[in-house]
Amino acid sequence: MARRSLLLSAGSYLPKEILTNADLAKRVDTTDDWISQRTGIKQRHIAAPGELTSDLAVHAAEQALHHAGLRGADIDMLILATTTPDHTFPATATKVQQRIGMKGGFAMDVQAVCSGFVFGLATADNFIRAGQAHRALVIGAETFSRILDWKDRNTCVLFGDGAGAVVLEAGEGDGTSKDRGVLCTHLFSDGTYYDKLYVDGGPSTTQTAGFVHMEGKEVFRHAVVNLAAAVDAAIASAGIKADDVDWLVPHQANRRIIDSMGNKLKLAPEKVVVTIDRHANTSAASIPLALAEAVNDGRIQRGQLVLMEAMGGGFTWGSALIRY
Ligand code: ACO
């Protein structure tokens, strides 16, 4: 027998305001064609003034809890993956904990930028399998619009705001790849590339939040190689074949990166969950947003094998394989 983290449900939330490529073309020197062709993005959601990362996270968490038939009080571990916390401290996770009515257990933030959800999921899975937690909420939530320089066309066209959440619960399996639940996670980082994708502020350096800077081509080059390695690690460690994968739910940074991973797995295009056209890159929120969409519209069915992969600043990257 093996202890497993079962994926009970998923939820998501997107702020109401939509900013299209055409809207952006009025602010910076860009075009809908450039953004669509290079990235696959058509629009993004933007949090309203005063709408915080914690607000987005609470909406997504409540929807996930509702779909699982649970309440906040039923959760004993809450992990919030975010790069855009409400404050430098306390962890935004603790605010979310209070607002969903979670009385015991613990809540903490995880920071791995766009890989944050995979890092959070791996953390929760390890706590559950170690017997130190029973039911976990893993949330990815971002107000990335707050750390963008809206005059920099290299970055401001790429990102959006949103949140997604999943509920995990301890269960039993046989210890094989036929089990339901999280089958494996693989995390990586390499600080050699710290300055390829970063924010030029922080409490210890400038006492400001700063703005995003990215060497796009360099990040792209590493993303394709690193994500392929993370996917290979998942497949090898679970002892499955690439064509056993039913769904790819990738981080949504660039349509060309998403397509290259789908092609690598020889997955039919309709088996790759794509939201980048509507959500843009929502960093730690992108995978749970995509997952929630495909679970809640019935595309992803119980028993199917779902592969997730992400890469972000640091660099950080990783994968998670789950049988839903
Ligand atoms: N509109 C019009 N032109 C633009 C824009 C824009 N919004 N942005 C840049 N350009 C111009 C550049 O100035 C450049 O012009 P030049 O040739 O005259 O100098 C030209 O377009 C090409 O720019 P590149 O940066 O070379 O374009 P590229 O094809 O590499 O696409 C992109 C850029 C979309 C950023 C791509 O490199 C990419 O997606 N990189 C990976 C992003 C990623 O995976 N991020 C990971 C996670 S993000 C996180 O962790 C926060």
Side-chain angles (χ1 to χ4, degrees):
M1 294 296 271
R3 197 169 154 96
R4 293 288 193 191
S5 310
L6 306 182
L7 176 61
L8 296 189
S9 64
S12 64
Y13 176 79
L14 290 159
K16 288 201 178 45
E17 188 195 332
I18 291 174
L19 191 67
T20 65
N21 291 349
D23 296 331
L24 268 174
K26 291 180 200 146
R27 295 193 192 182
V28 285
D29 182 15
T30 191
T31 60
D32 175 37
D33 273 358
W34 192 96
I35 303 170
S36 304
Q37 283 166 20
R38 302 277 179 140
T39 70
I41 298 166
K42 302 294 286 182
Q43 62 170 51
R44 70 284 294 142
H45 290 250
I46 303 291
E51 192 175 32
L52 306 182
T53 293
S54 58
D55 298 318
L56 275 51
V58 167
H59 285 302
E62 285 178 340
Q63 194 186 88
L65 287 168
H66 174 73
H67 287 316
L70 296 170
R71 293 175 317 140
D74 300 319
I75 300 296
D76 60 1
M77 171 172 51
L78 187 156
I79 296 183
L80 174 61
T82 189
T83 303
T84 45
D86 290 5
H87 294 100
T88 302
F89 83 86
T92 303
T94 58
K95 196 194 271 187
V96 177
Q97 174 186 29
Q98 184 273 325
R99 286 188 47 197
I100 65 167
M102 178 183 156
K103 304 284 182 214
F106 65 94
M108 64 180 183
D109 287 0
V110 162
Q111 160 60 305
V113 205
C114 296
S115 314
F117 181 75
V118 173
F119 276 58
L121 192 75
T123 307
D125 176 49
N126 277 288
F127 270 92
I128 288 175
R129 284 191 299 109
Q132 293 180 25
H134 179 66
R135 237 186 245 121
L137 250 175
V138 183
I139 310 168
E142 301 278 16
T143 47
F144 226 80
S145 60
R146 307 266 155 81
I147 54 168
L148 294 174
D149 174 355
W150 287 96
K151 292 191 276 311
D152 176 13
R153 68 175 184 175
N154 289 299
T155 52
C156 77
V157 304
L158 302 174
F159 297 95
D161 300 336
V166 298
V167 179
L168 300 177
E169 183 180 76
E172 294 291 338
D174 296 330
T176 72
S177 63
K178 301 267 180 266
D179 287 352
R180 276 185 55 213
V182 179
L183 298 182
C184 62
T185 57
H186 289 85
L187 306 184
F188 309 90
S189 64
D190 185 348
T192 313
Y193 303 101
Y194 192 88
D195 60 355
K196 300 295 175 199
L197 172 54
Y198 70 102
V199 160
D200 62 0
S204 182
T205 48
T206 58
Q207 298 84 56
T208 63
F211 292 125
V212 174
H213 294 266
M214 172 163 74
E215 288 182 32
K217 268 203 182 351
E218 191 71 358
V219 177
F220 191 102
R221 204 166 58 78
H222 282 90
V224 176
V225 175
N226 291 345
L227 292 172
V231 162
D232 286 342
I235 288 171
S237 128
I240 59 161
K241 298 188 297 303
D243 62 10
D244 293 327
V245 174
D246 293 301
W247 295 97
L248 179 65
V249 183
H251 171 50
Q252 314 276 322
N254 186 305
R255 182 67 204 241
R256 289 178 289 152
I257 300 175
I258 295 171
D259 290 346
S260 84
M261 288 308 120
N263 292 338
K264 177 184 161 53
L265 291 162
K266 299 194 176 62
L267 274 176
E270 62 274 16
K271 294 290 183 182
V272 181
V273 181
V274 177
T275 56
I276 188 166
D277 50 333
R278 289 159 292 131
H279 302 173
N281 181 351
T282 56
S283 185
S286 92
I287 289 180
L289 268 164
L291 183 69
E293 185 174 284
V295 163
N296 294 331
D297 70 14
R299 265 178 291 169
I300 298 181
Q301 301 273 314
R302 287 282 173 206
Q304 289 188 321
L305 208 46
V306 181
L307 180 58
M308 305 170 204
E309 37 84 345
M311 146 109 182
F315 293 143
T316 55
W317 65 102
S319 61
L321 188 67
I322 299 187
R323 190 175 293 285
Y324 176 59

